[in-house]
Amino acid sequence: MSGDTCLGSALCPAAGHKPKAGGLKGSSLGNKYVRLNVGGSLYYTTVQVLTRHDTMLKAMFSGRMEVLTDKEGWILIDRCGKHFGTILNYLRDDTIALPKHRQEIKELMAEAKYYLIQGLVDMCQAALQDKKDLYEPVCSIPIITSPKEEERLIESSMKPVVKLLYNRSNNKYSYTSNSDDNLLKNIELFDKLSLRFNGRVLFIKDVIGDEICCWSFYGQGRKLAEVCCTSIVYATEKKQTKVEFPEARIYEETLNVLLYETPRVPDNSLLEATSRSRSQASHSEDDEGFELRDRVRRIHVKRYSTYDDRQLGHCV
């Protein structure tokens, strides 16, 4: 017979039998099998395995510590036997395949610490650290709680910043029929952009501002552009608030802020890709490039319409 074998609860010591204390001499047992009752789980192994490493088990089975046995001769160890088979495998081979789940690794590490098996403790700690790194969030999205916090975040960030302010309850009119859908589309786009550019752009949410749905874009600590997604429309002689979803403009402004990544030198290829007919906007620009403007591009959708479903334009 080789390896460890759990023999089942039928071989556990019967109730009412008091354990006996005694000593064991490794030299007298040699490679003979000993019977272990670890918290009700039964194992066969040899003294040679138990004494290979300088652990508490070696102290128990080399005669330096007193051990308890039941009436049938099973050596009693008052610990959970769930991971003891793994403990024996490590003592035999100096390595094991660790459990997949963090909780089971923690349980195994607790047993390894009890038996003073430092090598196995180190393995468990390394695996837990790897799993911690593996389950780190892809990106972290701060939620603004005050204007001062927003100012500190933007000023201290080494990355460009994209902020989405949404506050559906901040409205004195009723919403148009598709406003809720468009508000959710804005939030969904924010989530997608934050996953795509999380390593390059700091994304923050604001739920305390005055606007209902507004995007803001910052680079090198200053505001570059703003896209306000709300407008007021007339329908059946009453005012309603309409939420827009200018997806293309939001994508464009997000790409524009990438020009302000550290180091603060514009990327010529990105500059060309994100330019929007710059030659028509200014006659002073030449073929070698153009100077980045200091003014904020504010795109507000605040037109008035007599029909709820009329297409609204954007004014710069």
Side-chain angles (χ1 to χ4, degrees):
M1 181 184 295
S2 62
D4 58 279
T5 305
C6 182
L7 303 181
S9 58
L11 295 179
C12 292
H17 292 287
K18 296 182 179 180
K20 297 184 296 181
L24 288 176
K25 294 183 179 180
S27 58
S28 62
L29 292 174
N31 290 333
K32 293 182 179 179
Y33 278 88
V34 293
R35 301 183 297 174
L36 303 176
N37 181 343
V38 186
S41 298
L42 307 181
Y43 295 90
Y44 276 141
T45 189
T46 64
V47 171
Q48 184 181 28
V49 169
L50 295 170
T51 57
R52 282 192 65 215
H53 298 265
D54 189 14
T55 66
M56 192 182 78
L57 290 170
K58 181 177 182 179
M60 290 176 62
F61 291 93
S62 59
R64 290 181 292 171
M65 286 182 62
E66 205 172 57
V67 297
L68 298 177
T69 59
D70 62 14
K71 182 180 178 181
E72 297 178 355
W74 290 85
I75 298 171
L76 303 177
I77 300 178
D78 189 16
R79 296 292 294 181
C80 176
K82 178 180 178 180
H83 298 288
F84 193 76
T86 306
I87 297 287
L88 291 178
N89 286 335
Y90 179 82
L91 294 177
R92 294 185 185 104
D93 304 325
D94 296 325
T95 185
I96 53 166
L98 291 174
K100 294 182 179 180
H101 301 292
R102 286 179 59 87
Q103 182 59 37
E104 291 189 346
I105 295 177
K106 289 180 179 180
E107 293 173 0
L108 177 60
M109 185 170 67
E111 296 304 304
K113 287 181 177 180
Y114 175 80
Y115 294 114
L116 304 178
I117 308 175
Q118 189 58 45
L120 183 53
V121 172
D122 294 339
M123 282 184 62
C124 292
Q125 288 178 337
L128 289 173
Q129 183 61 44
D130 291 342
K131 287 183 176 291
K132 180 181 178 181
D133 296 339
L134 181 64
Y135 289 106
E136 283 292 324
V138 175
C139 57
S140 179
I141 308 297
I143 298 180
I144 299 301
T145 59
S146 69
K148 289 185 178 180
E149 182 185 21
E150 176 184 348
E151 184 179 349
R152 287 196 299 267
L153 275 173
I154 294 172
E155 289 181 352
S156 62
S157 176
M158 299 300 293
K159 305 176 184 177
V161 178
V162 174
K163 184 190 77 169
L164 173 61
L165 187 162
Y166 61 93
N167 190 349
R168 187 188 184 283
S169 61
N170 188 27
N171 181 40
K172 60 182 179 180
Y173 306 119
S174 62
Y175 285 94
T176 58
S177 58
N178 62 345
S179 289
D180 283 331
D181 287 341
N182 284 337
L183 181 59
L184 290 175
K185 287 179 181 178
N186 277 280
I187 297 173
E188 185 180 64
L189 178 59
F190 178 87
D191 293 339
K192 290 180 179 178
L193 291 174
S194 63
L195 289 173
R196 180 176 178 182
F197 298 110
N198 71 89
R200 304 174 65 183
V201 178
L202 172 63
F203 290 87
I204 59 179
K205 288 183 178 180
D206 186 352
V207 295
I208 62 173
D210 296 330
E211 295 287 348
I212 295 169
C213 184
C214 185
W215 294 73
S216 300
F217 304 86
Y218 302 84
Q220 298 177 7
R222 65 183 180 88
K223 194 172 188 178
L224 305 173
E226 181 180 88
V227 178
C228 184
C229 303
T230 56
S231 61
I232 304 297
V233 298
Y234 283 100
T236 61
E237 299 183 354
K238 67 177 181 178
K239 291 183 179 180
Q240 286 187 307
T241 299
K242 183 175 184 179
V243 179
E244 302 278 357
F245 179 51
E247 181 178 12
R249 180 60 61 84
I250 294 167
Y251 262 115
E252 182 178 4
E253 297 299 344
T254 302
L255 293 176
N256 282 335
V257 299
L258 294 177
L259 296 171
Y260 294 84
E261 285 184 283
T262 302
R264 299 181 177 183
V265 178
D267 185 325
N268 290 332
S269 61
L270 186 59
L271 201 62
E272 181 181 355
T274 57
S275 61
R276 295 181 288 108
S277 302
R278 300 286 182 179
S279 59
Q280 298 178 6
S282 174
H283 297 292
S284 62
E285 298 165 2
D286 52 27
D287 294 337
E288 295 180 358
F290 58 87
E291 182 179 358
L292 294 176
R293 298 169 182 173
D294 291 334
R295 70 182 182 89
V296 177
R297 295 187 303 279
R298 290 187 174 86
I299 302 94
H300 288 270
V301 185
K302 289 188 181 296
R303 294 289 183 87
Y304 292 86
S305 171
T306 56
Y307 298 99
D308 184 13
D309 57 351
R310 179 178 173 181
Q311 293 291 332
L312 300 180
H314 304 292
C315 58
V316 181

